[in-house]
Amino acid sequence: MARCHYRRALICVCSPCIFLLVLFLFLGIMVCSNMNKTTRSIHFVASGSFKNKNFASMPKTFWKLHEEAFWNQLQLTLDRQFNPILNPQNAYMRFRSHAFYVSLMSRSFSEVTDLDPVRRKMEQLPLQMQDFVSHMKRRSYPVLIQPADMTCGAGAVDEKEPPLLLLAIKSTALNFENRQAIRQTWGQAGWVATRGMDGRPRQKVGGYIRRVFLLGKEYPRDSEWDISELLQEEGEQYGDILQWDFNDTFFNLTLKDVLFWNWFSRQCSKTRFVFKGDDDVFVNTVNMITYLHNQLEKPNAEHIMNEFMVGDVISAAFPNRVHQSKYFVPDSFYKGLYPTYAGGGGVVYSGQLAKRLHNISGRVHLFPIDVFVGMCMARLNAHPIHHSGFLTFDFPYNEDKEPCAYHTILLVHKRSPKQLIELWDKLSKSKNQCRFVSLRVSNKRKNTRIN
Ligand SMILES: *[C@@H]1O[C@H](CO)[C@@H](O)[C@H](O)[C@H]1NC(C)=O
Ligand SMILES: *[C@@H]1O[C@H](CO)[C@@H](O)[C@H](O)[C@H]1NC(C)=O
Ligand SMILES: *[C@@H]1O[C@H](CO)[C@@H](O)[C@H](O)[C@H]1NC(C)=O
């Protein structure tokens, strides 16, 4: 009798142990097999659908991305740090201090660059890429010029509510003319009214716009004079210059995103939306404000805003392997398709998302082109929305010749400063005539673009 009780107690105590042991073994085998497999399967599949949620994106378990290319390998070691099974404490401490990320990043860097085959591969990269690699660990650069009084861009006077839209425009020191044209046209700060169903402005319904230009540093060549003083004066006059102390090159452009998110999170916490784009685009500001206002009026707006990003969405793009292209990325640097991303010519996202991007960006190694934002989005498991009003590759055919063409868009790339001024004038003159045209809706979209 006593023996029997003893055995039952033993079973009671041990069966959960055995169950846990089996579970652990199973999980262990799963993790190991995922890490060691060297399959070359493609992770993103073009779906051919233009429903946003069907777009191919990165796998949710991002530690699965394992290929031999330099960037992939760097990212893999970083992602392992956030693997909830290997490092539960890292994975669940969702957003830790900056120093924590910096130390993990350097660790992954030294792990990878200590490998001989990787080092050899690095030496074969094009010079520009090598330069990128040798600086890619660094993300903090001093601010040289910024809007005075810690304001979130130009246009902060007499605002009666938090700004609706901050225009954050990538520019370079020498593009003074572009900035001036934008200030006079679509980039004017202040109150903008939305357009009602009848095509007329709804004076009381709209939002405040602010503006800031994002710049790196231009180093004078012998033949040129130093324009940093002029830029300083420009900043004082307009209050819309935000400049950091890094060489303003094409491969350093993603630094502008990372540093901007940091600045935004500190300075602009109440701003509802951010437009981030180039200084050679034309934006139909009234349409933009109207479109954004409509998003805020949706019943589940709060929820939508958590991951709201809209633009010309490109999914499952191949890296560009053409040596002469400025987008060239060799396969020794990056392998696989790119995650879904919105073309960098111009994109709009919520302030809430900007803050989340700021946090997650510490877990993603810098990438030389604007796919970087898509990589951060993938890690937030957030999906950009495609809108055909973003013409980052200009109008199809000759559609811009139609009298109301510019009333149907949110943005078009690319236009010179002179064209911006002409277009702005034309837009205002044809306001009445084009009152009833509505925003473009797409009937087709390209899924794969080499970029
Ligand atoms: C980026 O800027 C840093 C700081 O000025 C510079 O050292 C580096 O060469 C730049 N990187 C590229 C790829 O131009
Ligand atoms: C900045 O980058 C350009 C282009 O890569 C390069 O020619 C120039 O020497 C760099 N300047 C500095 C000061 O690093
Ligand atoms: C970002 O991280 C900071 C701490 O580093 C945290 O206080 C903040 O709530 C986070 N923001 C978001 C939007 O997750």
Side-chain angles (χ1 to χ4, degrees):
M1 198 64 193
R3 237 186 108 132
C4 194
H5 267 293
Y6 172 72
R7 201 180 288 167
R8 210 177 292 158
L10 200 70
I11 290 171
C12 281
V13 171
C14 287
S15 53
C17 297
I18 294 170
F19 175 73
L20 277 178
L21 195 73
V22 171
L23 187 72
F24 249 79
L25 270 173
F26 174 73
L27 288 178
I29 291 168
M30 289 289 285
V31 171
C32 290
S33 68
N34 272 342
M35 298 210 137
N36 296 335
K37 252 190 295 180
T38 46
T39 50
R40 285 170 189 259
S41 62
I42 287 176
H43 301 290
F44 328 103
V45 185
S47 62
S49 157
F50 57 96
K51 263 222 190 88
N52 164 53
K53 62 174 183 289
N54 291 345
F55 278 173
S57 95
M58 293 246 242
K60 280 182 195 161
T61 50
F62 30 78
W63 60 86
K64 254 191 186 167
L65 257 178
H66 42 70
E67 314 250 14
E68 301 74 33
F70 178 72
W71 191 91
N72 304 60
Q73 222 164 44
L74 265 188
Q75 190 59 35
L76 174 63
T77 53
L78 190 60
D79 287 342
R80 275 197 190 126
Q81 302 290 337
F82 294 100
N83 180 323
I85 297 166
L86 295 179
N87 289 305
Q89 73 283 19
N90 287 354
Y92 297 120
M93 294 288 284
R94 283 183 61 79
F95 297 112
R96 289 218 253 185
S97 70
H98 178 66
F100 172 73
Y101 288 124
V102 170
S103 82
L104 285 187
M105 255 193 197
S106 340
R107 206 154 97 203
S108 80
F109 216 86
S110 54
E111 266 177 42
V112 168
T113 45
D114 276 352
L115 304 173
D116 262 349
V118 174
R119 209 177 309 130
R120 269 201 302 279
K121 219 174 275 163
M122 246 164 71
E123 284 158 12
Q124 287 158 13
L125 292 176
L127 283 180
Q128 189 194 16
M129 194 66 92
Q130 282 187 34
D131 184 34
F132 173 79
V133 168
S134 60
H135 294 95
M136 73 187 274
K137 250 194 305 183
R138 181 167 175 203
R139 306 185 166 210
S140 87
Y141 289 94
V143 171
L144 294 174
I145 304 175
Q146 64 178 326
D149 308 325
M150 311 290 277
T151 54
C152 167
V157 270
D158 298 336
E159 283 176 0
K160 290 174 193 72
E161 56 189 70
L164 184 65
L165 179 63
L166 169 66
L167 307 170
I169 305 150
K170 288 177 284 176
S171 189
T172 52
L174 292 171
N175 279 2
F176 173 74
E177 240 187 296
N178 298 53
R179 290 193 290 281
Q180 212 50 350
I182 290 172
R183 285 179 185 124
Q184 290 163 18
T185 60
W186 61 265
Q188 288 172 39
W191 177 265
V192 173
T194 57
R195 204 157 61 116
M197 296 293 275
D198 60 354
R200 295 184 192 283
R202 296 195 290 172
Q203 287 306 346
K204 292 240 162 57
V205 187
Y208 289 101
I209 292 192
R210 293 201 189 180
R211 178 189 67 234
V212 70
F213 291 101
L214 314 176
L215 289 87
K217 197 166 158 58
E218 204 82 42
Y219 293 93
R221 275 169 241 133
D222 295 340
S223 54
E224 290 165 0
W225 36 296
D226 191 355
I227 56 164
S228 50
E229 237 169 76
L230 279 178
L231 204 62
Q232 194 83 37
E233 276 170 31
E234 191 185 334
E236 277 163 29
Q237 183 172 355
Y238 297 103
D240 59 5
I241 302 285
L242 179 54
Q243 190 197 25
W244 295 276
D245 192 6
F246 64 79
N247 195 353
D248 207 341
T249 62
F250 183 65
F251 272 12
N252 264 347
L253 278 183
T254 35
L255 274 176
K256 288 190 186 173
D257 289 292
V258 173
L259 294 169
F260 168 71
W261 291 335
N262 185 10
W263 178 83
F264 180 89
S265 303
R266 282 184 288 118
Q267 233 83 305
C268 308
S269 59
K270 294 216 174 79
T271 304
R272 307 305 296 263
F273 295 100
V274 174
F275 164 85
K276 198 214 67 185
D278 293 341
D279 64 1
D280 58 353
V281 299
F282 179 78
V283 176
N284 184 324
T285 323
V286 172
N287 280 355
M288 189 69 89
I289 290 285
T290 308
Y291 171 76
L292 294 177
H293 224 282
N294 291 344
Q295 305 310 305
L296 289 178
E297 280 166 5
K298 288 186 176 168
N300 51 344
E302 259 325 290
H303 181 71
I304 297 176
M305 286 310 129
N306 214 22
E307 62 166 73
F308 180 82
M309 178 182 279
V310 62
D312 183 6
V313 171
I314 300 161
S315 68
F318 294 104
N320 188 318
R321 305 295 195 211
V322 180
H323 285 256
Q324 294 78 16
S325 164
K326 70 172 180 172
Y327 295 98
F328 171 62
V329 169
D331 69 351
S332 55
F333 184 77
Y334 181 84
K335 259 194 192 148
L337 297 178
Y338 287 144
T340 300
Y341 69 103
V347 54
V348 174
Y349 46 82
S350 67
Q352 243 159 289
L353 181 62
K355 286 181 251 176
R356 292 179 69 207
L357 285 167
H358 167 52
N359 276 359
I360 204 76
S361 67
R363 293 188 191 183
V364 187
H365 277 286
L366 287 182
F367 198 79
I369 53 180
D370 48 24
V371 172
F372 175 75
V373 179
M375 291 168 164
C376 294
M377 287 289 278
R379 269 150 183 84
L380 289 173
N381 198 17
H383 309 276
I385 305 165
H386 178 74
H387 194 301
S388 39
F390 286 82
L391 299 177
T392 54
F393 290 83
D394 216 324
F395 283 91
Y397 317 109
N398 279 331
E399 278 178 33
D400 60 324
K401 302 288 182 297
E402 287 166 25
C404 292
Y406 286 89
H407 290 266
T408 69
I409 62 161
L410 292 167
L411 167 147
V412 64
H413 187 236
K414 77 198 280 197
R415 297 292 182 269
S416 70
K418 194 162 154 270
Q419 285 172 319
L420 290 190
I421 291 166
E422 284 166 8
L423 281 173
W424 189 249
D425 193 43
K426 220 175 99 190
L427 201 66
S428 122
K429 283 190 181 135
S430 55
K431 219 163 31 192
N432 242 331
Q433 177 199 350
C434 300
R435 229 167 70 198
F436 294 108
V437 303
S438 46
L439 275 184
R440 298 171 71 85
V441 273
S442 66
N443 40 16
K444 63 170 191 252
R445 55 159 290 105
K446 296 183 201 102
N447 250 320
T448 306
R449 203 175 267 143
I450 303 211
N451 191 325

